[in-house]
């Protein structure tokens, strides 16, 4: 009976160890992601159809703007996009058609003014969410397969979407939803329109 070459035996043992290490790494990764998922669930509650995420933190990121931003919750990072409102773009390099539409919405302001307003909205939201506690309400509806999720953000006793409309920093636009407290989509739309009328009369934000 032929003996196994010691070198071949060492290679076989090394391969077996490598397979075990890879299996343990895969198992560890699966357990870690399951832990994160459980952590999100354990630090959230439900209100109607919405998951309510408390203790969330704003995360600095280059893609953040007035209506879409990175949020950390339960050891994980998400990108949330506001329901019902659309802030002006913060750059003229992309979305030329959208810039034109946003300018028309605000009574025909120039492209440069649209971008300026978009940057103002971004800075305002960043400062607001960094300085204050806030609550995220989400149904985990994805925004056009972009990896972002629609959400409502409550700061104090106000919705961020309402604050942005009130300051003339956003238009009433994109996907709308009824509120977690039971207020209908139609009533929320009327509330936003009333705030927008006040902003127009005061000539704030884009209503110049």
């Amino acid at each position: 009976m032929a003996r196994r070459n010691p070198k071949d035996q060492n290679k076989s043992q090394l391969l077996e160890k490598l397979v075990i290490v890879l299996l343990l790494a895969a198992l560890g990764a699966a357990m870690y992601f399951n832990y994160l998922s459980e952590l999100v669930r354990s630090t959230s509650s439900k209100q109607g159809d919405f998951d309510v995420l408390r203790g969330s933190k704003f995360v600095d990121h280059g893609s953040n703007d007035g209506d879409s931003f990175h949020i950390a919750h339960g050891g994980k990072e998400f990108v949330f996009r506001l329901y019902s409102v659309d802030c002006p773009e913060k750059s003229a390099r992309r979305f030329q058609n959208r810039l034109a539409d946003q300018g028309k919405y605000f009574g025909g302001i120039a492209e440069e003014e649209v971008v300026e307003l978009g940057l103002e909205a971004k800075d305002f939201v960043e400062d607001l969410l960094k300085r204050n506690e806030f609550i995220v309400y989400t149904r985990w509806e994805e925004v056009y397969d972009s990896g972002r999720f629609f959400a409502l953000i409550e700061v104090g006793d106000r919705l961020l979407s309402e604050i942005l409309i009130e300051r003339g920093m956003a238009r009433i636009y994109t996907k709308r939803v009824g509120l977690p407290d039971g207020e209908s989509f139609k009533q929320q739309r009327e509330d936003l329109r009333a705030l927008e009328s006040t902003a127009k009369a005061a000539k704030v934000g884009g209503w110049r």
Side-chain angles (χ1 to χ4, degrees):
M1 179 176 172
R3 286 187 173 185
R4 291 184 63 183
N5 188 312
K7 289 185 178 180
D8 291 338
Q9 189 171 7
N10 288 339
K11 285 181 181 178
S12 177
Q13 290 175 345
L14 186 62
L15 184 59
E16 288 176 1
K17 289 179 180 178
L18 182 60
V19 170
I20 291 171
V21 168
L22 291 174
L23 287 172
L24 289 173
L27 179 61
M31 291 175 65
Y32 176 68
F33 285 116
N34 184 62
Y35 163 76
L36 288 180
S37 178
E38 290 297 327
L39 188 60
V40 170
R41 282 196 287 269
S42 68
T43 55
S44 66
S45 57
K46 294 285 289 187
Q47 187 169 346
D49 294 335
F50 291 86
D51 277 347
V52 184
L53 312 184
R54 292 181 169 82
S56 300
K57 298 294 181 184
F58 182 86
V59 178
D60 284 312
H61 195 280
S63 67
N64 289 342
D65 57 27
D67 57 40
S68 183
F69 28 79
H70 289 241
I71 297 293
H73 177 81
K76 204 169 182 183
E77 191 171 310
F78 305 95
V79 186
F80 290 115
R81 200 259 187 255
L82 294 177
Y83 279 111
S84 303
V85 299
D86 176 55
C87 290
E89 303 305 321
K90 62 180 183 180
S91 172
R93 296 178 186 174
R94 303 172 65 193
F95 308 118
Q96 288 293 323
N97 290 337
R98 192 177 299 176
L99 282 170
D101 288 343
Q102 290 168 342
K104 288 178 184 176
Y105 188 92
F106 285 103
I109 62 175
E111 182 178 286
E112 311 86 71
E113 293 179 291
V114 175
V115 172
E116 179 185 340
L117 185 61
L119 289 170
E120 288 177 10
K122 171 188 173 296
D123 291 342
F124 170 77
V125 169
E126 178 178 324
D127 182 61
L128 184 70
L129 297 186
K130 281 183 174 180
R131 289 190 298 104
N132 297 277
E133 293 185 357
F134 59 90
I135 301 172
V136 178
Y137 296 86
T138 183
R139 300 195 299 191
W140 304 106
E141 293 181 86
E142 194 169 6
V143 184
Y144 309 120
D145 298 321
S146 65
R148 298 179 297 160
F149 299 97
F150 281 112
L152 296 162
I153 307 291
E154 184 178 81
V155 187
D157 61 351
R158 300 288 309 281
L159 289 177
L160 179 55
S161 50
E162 295 176 344
I163 295 171
L164 289 167
I165 292 292
E166 184 178 62
R167 288 176 170 266
M169 291 181 170
R171 58 177 175 163
I172 303 171
Y173 190 77
T174 199
K175 188 175 181 66
R176 298 164 194 172
V177 69
L179 301 189
D181 65 5
E183 181 175 293
S184 69
F185 151 70
K186 289 184 178 180
Q187 183 57 55
Q188 170 63 187
R189 180 178 58 190
E190 291 308 308
D191 291 345
L192 291 174
R193 285 176 175 171
L195 290 169
E196 185 175 78
S197 294
T198 301
K200 283 182 181 180
K203 296 184 178 179
V204 296
W207 305 110
R208 302 164 185 176

